[in-house]
């Protein structure tokens, strides 16, 4: 807390024109900033060694129904203390321009393009103003998150073509891949430029699965939107629903009972386990080493069957609710979970030895798809990928939620940033999650698992929430509307932060290694495209 | 090597170690079964995601794990629509994917079967009505088989595919 104060003072001294919003809850410091100052102050936050701020989220809100203005908000996570600073500015009275911060904060690139597509606000000075979410066939001047855009109206199509960045020269050719892929993967387009074998450039063209999730949230009420949050990225059902519920709970001033918080941690770890197990196998499989894939597929299946037995859903759907969890576990069930953990951990440890001692596998994984710490930091990469590139960050330790304030997590960290580091992070986290599950069983307090909301949310109040899902940081910003509706819900899956970084990690590798690198990132398309 | 052998021997056969499926309603009509007649001993399908939340994909991938081992029924996943006998479509058909779906359908040789997998593909699920969704799948291409669920369990998918290929009573 004291450290937050120190940052606050420093900022106010450096930029006397900014105003601190004292009403902000203890979770973050909030400043109101004139828009012209944005580039300077964000640059200061990002580069000042004592601050070392990472752009964590950038979102816009259409406030026009109430007053004639758009709101823009920048969330930074500061250096060692991991405290949050939010900068807010307003574009009033028909002003549609705001200064781009992308020229010196690379991580803002996609956020600003997204805001331009969804709100029609223009980041001045942005180096790349091509469309991002709305593909070129969307009619001009249609911006779905503006309040006067009807949520249920499908637009006609216009002519248009996406222009990829071109590399010209002798022997350079382009390889287009997607949107529909050979295996069972989600749709996305990758455009490679190669000269001979090595990749010189990769450009992503995503957002094929854009379903209008954020607009759909605005049609729901605060307490009823949990099923939608569960379906933002299906493999992260608990992560997303938990982040959403926490945001709403802080709007409704709900304190979730301790047992409920412990169970949330338990389910979050189960979700991490089945996904990590699947990924370890799938990475091996992409080097044509099918044996670990079969074993991992079997263990993953065991956990999903366990999920099904405990909750009636293999993906743990319907577990989270606003106020706590729907499902309580009996002593016998908990014992079964732990027995299953012991069993799988032994099984997995044996497999791990097989994987680690396979020299030809190691040869494929080492130095493949290197994402350096510097590039990872510049792209504000999060989660597993970040921890494999030396970024020591994990919300379970840094900003504890659910029961993690009472469950210390040992954060895994590797420095090399190659595929091998990313598989090792997952392997270590599998053991850590199993340990956590055991600890949860020992510490699980008695009591209720949920409370009913008793208060109403104040219209226009907003709350932020962050959860370390199995992929990385999941962020939600929920702003209440009138009578328990949702005015705006900003969803940020870790994939959105990590996708651009893959364009760097593949450089100099050969195309046949791309599926392997992509698998080691294993990012969601659905969660990215919304 | 010894380690690998030991592991395999210790693990044994896990195929079929899953809970039985709760019976679903009829997933395929008798016309669909008739159409599937040529594919009774082997069926290659191509997965097309038109905007699913990816849980349906995960369950399809699970079909290939040793527990369900779908290949033992002669069903495998084709890498190109031109090699496919069937399309398995998931998701509510987003505006951005609409043309890709139609293209894939065109490129799949006849006779072909279209399987709508999951509630989204059948009725758009939670994404129904959105400005970015033009589905469900049968608005754009003819659908033969519908497998409901959000997502359907792998064993249900397996049963539906088996039922489709069992043929009508006449055999
Ligand atoms: S049916 Fe359910 S699980 Fe399948 S894609 Fe739709 S929301 Fe996801």
């Amino acid at each position: 807390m004291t450290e937050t104060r120190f940052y606050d003072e420093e900022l106010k001294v450096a930029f006397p024109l900014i105003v601190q919003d004292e009403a902000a809850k203890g979770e973050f410091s909030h400043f109101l900033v004139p828009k012209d100052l944005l580039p300077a102050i964000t640059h200061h936050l990002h580069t000042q060694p004592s601050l070392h701020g990472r752009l964590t989220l950038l979102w816009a809100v259409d406030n026009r129904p109430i007053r004639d203005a758009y709101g823009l908000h920048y969330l930074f996570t500061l250096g060692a203390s991991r405290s949050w600073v939010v900068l807010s500015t307003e574009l009033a009275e028909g002003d549609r321009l705001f200064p781009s911060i992308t020229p010196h904060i690379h991580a803002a690139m996609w956020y600003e393009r997204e805001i331009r597509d969804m709100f029609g606000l223009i980041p001045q000075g942005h180096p790349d103003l091509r469309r991002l979410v709305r593909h070129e066939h969307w009619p001009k001047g249609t911006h779905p998150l503006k309040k006067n855009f009807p949520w249920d109206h499908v637009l006609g199509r216009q002519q248009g073509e996406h222009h990829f960045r071109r590399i010209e020269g002798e022997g350079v050719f382009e390889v287009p891949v997607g949107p529909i892929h050979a295996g069972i993967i989600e749709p996305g387009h990758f455009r490679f430029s190669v000269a001979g074998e090595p990749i010189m450039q990769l450009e992503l063209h995503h957002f094929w699965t854009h379903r209008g999730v954020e607009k759909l949230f605005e049609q729901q009420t605060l307490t009823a939107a949990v099923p939608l949050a569960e379906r933002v990225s299906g493999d992260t059902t608990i992560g997303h629903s938990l982040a959403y519920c926490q945001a709403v709970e802080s709007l409704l001033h709900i304190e979730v009972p301790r047992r409920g918080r412990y169970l949330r941690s338990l389910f979050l770890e189960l979700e991490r386990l089945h996904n990590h197990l699947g990924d370890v196998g799938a990475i091996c499989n992409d080097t044509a080493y099918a044996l670990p894939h079969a074993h991992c597929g079997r263990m993953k299946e065991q956990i999903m069957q366990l999920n099904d037995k405990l909750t009636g859903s293999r993906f743990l759907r319907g577990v989270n609710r606003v106020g706590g969890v729907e499902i309580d576990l009996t002593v016998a069930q908990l014992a079964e979970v732990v027995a299953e953990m012991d069993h799988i951990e032994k099984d997995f440890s044996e497999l791990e030895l097989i994987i680690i001692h396979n020299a030809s596998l190691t040869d494929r994984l080492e130095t493949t798809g290197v994402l350096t710490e510097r590039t990872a930091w510049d792209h504000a990469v999060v989660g597993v990928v970040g921890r494999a590139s030396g970024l020591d960050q994990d919300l379970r330790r840094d900003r504890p939620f659910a029961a993690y304030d009472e469950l210390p997590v040992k954060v895994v960290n590797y420095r090399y940033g190659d595929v091998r580091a990313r598989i090792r992070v997952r392997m270590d986290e599998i053991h850590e999650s199993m340990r956590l599950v055991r600890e949860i069983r020992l510490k699980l307090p008695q009591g209720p698992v949920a409370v009913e909301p008793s208060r109403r949310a104040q219209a226009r109040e907003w709350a932020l929430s962050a959860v370390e899902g199995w992929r990385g940081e999941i962020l939600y910003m929920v702003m209440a509307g009138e009578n328990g509706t949702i005015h705006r819900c900003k969803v940020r899956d870790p994939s959105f932060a990590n996708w651009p970084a893959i364009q760097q990690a593949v450089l100099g590798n050969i195309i046949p290694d791309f599926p392997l690198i992509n698998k080691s990132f294993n990012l969601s398309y659905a969660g990215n495209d919304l | 090597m010894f380690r690998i052998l030991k592991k395999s021997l210790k693990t044994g056969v896990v195929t079929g170690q899953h809970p039985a499926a709760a019976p679903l309603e009829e997933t395929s009509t008798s016309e669909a079964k008739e159409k599937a007649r040529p594919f009774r001993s082997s069926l290659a399908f191509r997965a097309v995601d038109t905007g699913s939340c990816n849980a349906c994909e995960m369950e399809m991938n699970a079909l290939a794990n040793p527990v369900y081992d779908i290949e033992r029924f002669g069903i495998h996943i084709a890498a190109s629509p031109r090699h496919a006998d069937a399309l398995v479509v998931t998701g509510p058909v987003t505006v951005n994917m609409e043309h890709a779906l139609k293209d894939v359908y065109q490129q799949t040789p006849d006779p072909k079967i279209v399987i709508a997998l999951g509630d989204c593909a059948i009725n758009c699920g939670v994404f129904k009505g959105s400005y970015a969704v033009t589905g469900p799948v049968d608005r754009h291409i003819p659908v033969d088989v519908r497998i409901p669920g959000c997502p359907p369990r792998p064993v249900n998918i397996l049963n539906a595919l088996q039922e489709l290929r069992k043929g009508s009573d006449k055999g």
Side-chain angles (χ1 to χ4, degrees):
Chain A
M1 208 62 230
T2 43
E3 230 175 342
T4 315
R5 288 278 136 72
F6 148 71
Y7 295 134
D8 292 352
E9 290 314 316
E10 184 178 325
L11 274 178
K12 278 190 280 190
V13 171
F15 298 93
L17 281 178
I18 66 176
V19 182
Q20 181 156 20
D21 171 15
E22 303 288 350
K25 302 204 193 91
E27 290 154 34
F28 53 85
S29 340
H30 188 203
F31 295 96
L32 308 175
V33 179
K35 78 168 187 180
D36 302 328
L37 265 184
L38 276 172
I41 188 168
T42 51
H43 185 238
H44 180 84
L45 275 171
H46 186 60
T47 51
Q48 193 69 13
S50 62
L51 300 173
H52 205 51
R54 166 169 64 93
L55 180 68
T56 308
L57 185 65
L58 203 180
W59 75 97
V61 182
D62 184 356
N63 287 322
R64 285 176 310 158
I66 315 109
R67 52 178 206 286
D68 191 12
Y70 290 95
L72 279 176
H73 307 268
Y74 300 72
L75 169 65
F76 281 83
T77 305
L78 298 189
S81 71
R82 315 286 171 187
S83 31
W84 276 354
V85 173
V86 177
L87 308 176
S88 298
T89 194
E90 274 205 337
L91 305 182
E93 289 153 14
D95 184 5
R96 297 202 303 128
L97 305 175
F98 66 101
S100 167
I101 61 168
T102 303
H104 51 258
I105 301 184
H106 191 84
M109 172 84 93
W110 275 22
Y111 290 112
E112 290 185 341
R113 283 172 71 183
E114 182 192 35
I115 288 175
R116 165 152 188 254
D117 271 1
M118 303 312 277
F119 290 90
L121 306 174
I122 296 166
Q124 279 179 301
H126 193 289
D128 178 5
L129 278 180
R130 289 173 301 166
R131 289 186 178 187
L132 185 72
V133 185
R134 303 178 312 137
H135 284 183
E136 280 68 15
H137 60 72
W138 291 66
K140 257 205 166 113
T142 52
H143 303 288
L145 286 180
K146 284 171 120 170
K147 281 290 169 189
N148 51 357
F149 184 97
W151 75 278
D152 54 355
H153 180 66
V154 177
L155 302 164
R157 297 171 91 92
Q158 67 169 32
Q159 283 294 332
E161 202 193 324
H162 186 75
H163 293 285
F164 288 92
R165 279 195 303 262
R166 281 248 140 78
I167 292 191
E168 314 230 317
E170 201 183 312
V172 180
F173 59 97
E174 283 188 0
V175 183
V177 179
I180 302 180
H181 302 282
I184 305 178
I185 333 173
E186 300 174 73
H189 183 93
F190 302 90
R191 183 70 61 109
F192 300 93
S193 301
V194 291
E197 292 271 19
I199 299 169
M200 297 172 72
Q201 174 180 270
L202 164 63
E203 196 178 352
L204 306 177
H205 181 40
H206 274 352
F207 299 90
W208 300 86
T209 71
H210 177 70
R211 291 147 290 161
V213 168
E214 292 181 346
K215 193 85 174 178
L216 284 167
F217 268 110
E218 294 174 12
Q219 314 312 316
Q220 303 245 9
T221 59
L222 287 166
T223 47
V226 184
L228 182 57
E230 291 180 333
R231 285 157 182 81
V232 169
S233 177
D235 50 17
T236 321
T237 297
I238 289 288
H240 273 276
S241 58
L242 178 55
Y244 173 76
C245 287
Q246 287 180 359
V248 174
E249 281 150 11
S250 92
L251 286 175
L252 299 175
H253 305 279
I254 296 176
E255 188 74 42
V256 176
R258 264 181 84 212
R259 190 178 174 87
R261 292 194 282 119
Y262 267 84
L263 288 174
R264 283 178 164 182
S265 290
L266 174 74
F267 289 121
L268 190 69
E269 295 308 324
L270 287 176
E271 182 169 272
R272 190 180 322 277
L273 277 169
H274 79 72
N275 280 296
H276 276 6
L277 280 167
D279 282 352
V280 169
I283 292 172
C284 294
N285 196 43
D286 273 345
T287 68
Y289 189 29
L291 181 99
H293 183 52
H295 282 297
C296 284
R298 173 175 61 79
M299 290 179 228
K300 176 189 169 107
E301 177 66 24
Q302 280 170 14
I303 296 199
M304 297 196 76
Q305 287 183 13
L306 177 71
N307 290 346
D308 201 359
K309 222 154 104 197
L310 298 175
T311 67
S313 162
R314 288 163 57 88
F315 288 84
L316 301 167
R317 290 195 168 158
V319 166
N320 274 318
R321 52 166 282 191
V322 174
V325 288
E326 290 283 4
I327 283 157
D328 198 358
L329 298 181
T330 62
V331 178
Q333 279 174 316
L334 286 162
E336 191 189 341
V337 173
V338 169
E340 191 80 21
M341 289 301 123
D342 294 343
H343 180 71
I344 297 178
E345 181 153 33
K346 190 156 164 287
D347 199 345
F348 182 71
S349 303
E350 290 169 9
L351 179 67
E352 225 174 5
L353 286 179
I354 296 176
I355 295 176
I356 290 172
H357 287 276
N358 186 318
S360 63
L361 180 75
T362 306
D363 189 45
R364 280 295 300 279
L365 304 186
E366 258 178 4
T367 68
T368 303
V370 175
L371 182 71
T372 61
E373 183 175 347
R374 178 73 220 196
T375 316
W377 162 254
D378 281 344
H379 283 76
V381 162
V382 295
V384 169
V385 180
R387 288 193 285 279
S389 291
L391 299 182
D392 182 20
Q393 51 194 22
D394 187 322
L395 289 168
R396 291 176 293 172
R397 178 199 60 196
D398 302 338
R399 300 185 65 85
F401 54 93
Y404 293 107
D405 49 348
E406 299 171 21
L407 298 165
V409 178
K410 193 173 143 279
V411 177
V412 180
N413 203 252
Y414 283 87
R415 279 191 9 251
Y416 301 108
D418 54 4
V419 177
R420 187 172 152 89
R422 291 191 276 275
I423 198 172
R424 300 223 49 161
V425 169
R426 290 186 169 96
M427 287 171 162
D428 291 1
E429 288 189 356
I430 288 172
H431 292 291
E432 180 64 6
S433 289
M434 292 183 169
R435 190 191 66 72
L436 282 168
V437 169
R438 286 192 206 101
E439 193 176 332
I440 289 170
R441 179 176 80 149
L442 292 179
K443 288 192 178 166
L444 188 67
Q446 294 300 327
V449 295
V451 288
E452 288 303 321
S454 54
R455 289 179 40 189
R456 291 218 137 190
Q458 184 104 31
R460 311 293 147 227
E461 232 182 64
W462 51 272
L464 281 163
S465 140
V467 163
E468 187 79 24
W470 62 274
R471 248 188 209 107
E473 282 180 25
I474 301 163
L475 297 166
Y476 271 71
M477 189 292 302
V478 181
M479 186 186 236
E482 311 292 338
N483 301 322
T485 56
I486 299 174
H487 181 77
R488 169 96 170 98
C489 178
K490 172 71 201 143
V491 181
R492 211 292 315 271
D493 189 84
S495 311
F496 188 85
N498 289 0
W499 267 121
I502 210 170
Q503 301 176 130
Q504 303 297 320
V506 299
L507 295 182
N509 288 266
I510 56 177
I511 291 188
D513 270 341
F514 173 71
L516 177 62
I517 299 168
N518 195 20
K519 187 45 92 183
S520 74
F521 274 66
N522 194 14
L523 303 176
S524 165
Y525 301 68
N528 176 69
D529 303 353
L530 296 177
Chain B
M1 198 61 217
F2 175 67
R3 211 180 257 138
I4 297 176
L5 264 177
K6 189 171 150 210
K7 181 84 188 154
S8 300
L9 289 174
K10 219 167 113 186
T11 308
V13 177
V14 297
T15 310
Q17 288 182 5
H18 52 77
L24 282 184
E25 321 236 304
E26 278 277 282
T27 49
S28 30
T29 57
S30 45
E31 295 96 78
K33 288 179 184 170
E34 201 45 46
K35 234 172 125 184
R37 188 182 278 272
F39 310 127
R40 287 214 183 142
S41 44
S42 135
L43 174 82
F45 75 78
R46 165 88 169 166
V48 185
D49 173 348
T50 63
S52 96
C53 76
N54 77 25
C56 278
E57 272 61 47
M58 231 160 114
E59 294 299 50
M60 250 197 284
N61 275 319
L63 288 174
N65 74 27
V67 177
Y68 300 101
D69 191 18
I70 195 167
E71 299 224 4
R72 72 196 147 119
F73 301 110
I75 301 173
H76 57 271
I77 298 152
S80 157
R82 297 192 198 275
H83 302 157
D85 309 315
L87 293 177
V88 177
V89 189
T90 58
V93 191
T94 60
V95 169
N96 289 343
M97 278 305 285
E98 185 187 325
H99 282 193
L101 173 66
K102 289 179 184 158
D103 285 352
V104 166
Y105 183 76
Q106 291 294 326
Q107 287 171 23
T108 311
D110 285 322
K112 57 192 159 205
I113 295 183
V114 177
I115 300 168
L117 182 76
D119 292 348
C120 281
I122 296 172
N123 58 26
C124 297
V126 291
F127 308 113
K128 195 181 192 145
S130 160
Y131 65 89
V133 164
T134 68
V137 176
D138 61 11
R139 259 195 68 203
H140 300 290
I141 59 176
V143 171
D144 303 299
V145 180
R146 293 176 173 80
I147 308 178
C150 185
R153 292 185 171 82
V155 51
N156 286 339
I157 307 175
L158 202 57
N159 286 359
L161 292 176
Q162 290 297 81
E163 188 203 305
L164 169 72
R165 304 187 318 145
K166 211 162 55 198
S168 45
D169 292 339
K170 293 186 271 31

